[in-house]
C-alpha cells in the first residue's frame, strides 16, 4: 500500500495530473540507535580538557553548563563540540604558556560568547573590552577544527566506556546506567 499508482481519467478539464505521493521514509533501527547514542553522548560523555596540572581549575559553572550546551548544539544538528565545551578545553592550556595571537583571539571570543549566554554583567563588561567582536576566517577554521576534534574524542571515549560496561543478562540494561542516575 506504500507505493500507490494513481491513474487520472481525462474528463475534459484542463488541469495537470496529480502525481502519486512520495514514499514516506520510516526511521530505521540504525536511526533510532543513533538518536539514543547522540542523547547519551550529550549527557554521559566525559568532558575533554587539555591535559595539564591546571585542569582542575575550570570553574564549576562552566562545567555545569556543558551538558545543556551539548544538547542545544545537538538540536541544531551540529556534529561538533559546543562553544562552552571548547572554552573548558582551552582554559587549562592558557595557564601553561603564552599562546599564539590566533588562539588568544579564539579563547577570548569564546569567553565573550559564554558571558553573553550567561548574561553575567561583570563578565560581559570585561570580555567586551578585550575580546574581538568577530573572528577572522582563519581563526574560524581553527576553531571549527578544534570543535570537531573535541567532538570526535568525546564520542570515542563514550564508545570505550560502553564497551567496558556489558549489558546485564537479567534485564538488558547497561551496567553504566546505575552510575548515571
Amino acid at each position: 500500500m506504500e507505493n500507490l499508482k494513481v491513474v487520472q481519467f481525462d474528463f475534459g478539464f484542463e488541469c495537470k495530473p496529480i502525481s502519486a505521493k512520495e514514499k514516506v521514509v520510516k526511521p530505521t533501527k540504525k536511526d533510532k540507535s543513533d538518536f539514543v547514542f547522540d542523547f547519551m553522548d550529550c549527557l554521559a560523555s566525559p568532558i575533554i580538557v587539555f591535559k595539564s596540572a591546571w585542569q582542575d581549575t575550570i570553574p564549576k559553572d562552566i562545567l555545569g553548563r556543558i551538558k545543556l550546551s551539548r544538547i542545544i548544539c545537538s538540536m541544531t544538528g551540529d556534529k561538533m563540540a559546543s562553544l562552552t565545551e571548547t572554552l573548558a578545553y582551552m582554559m587549562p592550556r592558557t595557564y601553561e604558556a603564552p599562546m599564539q595571537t590566533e588562539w588568544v583571539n579564539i579563547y577570548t571570543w569564546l569567553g565573550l560568547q559564554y558571558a553573553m549566554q550567561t548574561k553575567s554583567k561583570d563578565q560581559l563588561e570585561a570580555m567586551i573590552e578585550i575580546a574581538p567582536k568577530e573572528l577572522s576566517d582563519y581563526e574560524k577554521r581553527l576553531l571549527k577544527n578544534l570543535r570537531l576534534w573535541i567532538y570526535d574524542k568525546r564520542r570515542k571515549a563514550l564508545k570505550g566506556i560502553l564497551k567496558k560496561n556489558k549489558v546485564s543478562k537479567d534485564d538488558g540494561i547497561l551496567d553504566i546506567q546505575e552510575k548515571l542516575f
Side-chain angles (χ1 to χ4, degrees), residues 10-70:
D10 185 14
F11 293 106
F13 300 112
E14 292 187 27
C15 63
K16 295 179 182 176
I18 301 170
S19 60
K21 292 185 179 181
E22 293 183 23
K23 182 178 178 182
V24 177
V25 179
K26 294 182 182 177
T28 63
K29 192 173 187 178
K30 184 182 182 313
D31 292 339
K32 291 177 185 176
S33 67
D34 285 349
F35 171 77
V36 171
F37 184 75
D38 289 342
F39 195 66
M40 282 185 69
D41 177 39
C42 292
L43 297 177
S45 288
I47 298 170
I48 308 294
V49 296
F50 184 81
K51 293 285 183 194
S52 166
W54 298 95
Q55 64 191 23
D56 296 334
T57 61
I58 301 170
K60 291 183 181 187
D61 66 318
I62 291 177
L63 294 175
R65 293 180 189 269
I66 287 178
K67 290 181 183 178
L68 178 62
S69 66
R70 283 178 181 172

Side-chain angles (χ1 to χ4, degrees), residues 2-174:
E2 292 179 22
N3 293 330
L4 297 176
K5 293 186 179 180
V6 179
V7 177
Q8 187 167 352
F9 295 106
D10 185 14
F11 293 106
F13 300 112
E14 292 187 27
C15 63
K16 295 179 182 176
I18 301 170
S19 60
K21 292 185 179 181
E22 293 183 23
K23 182 178 178 182
V24 177
V25 179
K26 294 182 182 177
T28 63
K29 192 173 187 178
K30 184 182 182 313
D31 292 339
K32 291 177 185 176
S33 67
D34 285 349
F35 171 77
V36 171
F37 184 75
D38 289 342
F39 195 66
M40 282 185 69
D41 177 39
C42 292
L43 297 177
S45 288
I47 298 170
I48 308 294
V49 296
F50 184 81
K51 293 285 183 194
S52 166
W54 298 95
Q55 64 191 23
D56 296 334
T57 61
I58 301 170
K60 291 183 181 187
D61 66 318
I62 291 177
L63 294 175
R65 293 180 189 269
I66 287 178
K67 290 181 183 178
L68 178 62
S69 66
R70 283 178 181 172
I71 292 172
I72 292 170
C73 200
S74 176
M75 288 172 57
T76 59
D78 292 339
K79 299 287 186 189
M80 58 178 78
S82 67
L83 295 178
T84 306
E85 194 171 3
T86 309
L87 177 67
Y89 175 82
M90 288 186 72
M91 192 170 282
R93 170 58 184 92
T94 62
Y95 301 132
E96 285 289 315
M99 296 188 303
Q100 294 175 340
T101 305
E102 295 87 8
W103 288 107
V104 171
N105 287 342
I106 291 169
Y107 180 68
T108 55
W109 183 83
L110 287 170
L112 176 64
Q113 301 308 308
Y114 179 75
M116 288 189 327
Q117 283 179 352
T118 60
K119 296 181 175 60
S120 171
K121 290 184 180 180
D122 297 332
Q123 288 178 344
L124 190 57
E125 289 175 9
M127 293 308 297
I128 286 176
E129 293 178 17
I130 60 172
K133 304 237 183 310
E134 194 171 317
L135 296 175
S136 69
D137 290 338
Y138 177 65
E139 291 166 345
K140 287 178 184 176
R141 281 194 308 272
L142 288 175
L143 177 60
K144 181 180 178 183
N145 289 339
L146 178 61
R147 290 176 69 190
L148 290 170
W149 182 83
I150 293 170
Y151 180 80
D152 185 49
K153 291 293 181 185
R154 179 181 88 199
R155 291 178 69 94
K156 284 182 181 176
L158 180 61
K159 286 179 183 176
I161 291 170
L162 292 175
K163 283 182 182 177
K164 286 181 186 176
N165 294 300
K166 303 289 183 190
V167 175
S168 173
K169 292 179 182 176
D170 299 332
D171 54 6
I173 297 175
L174 286 173

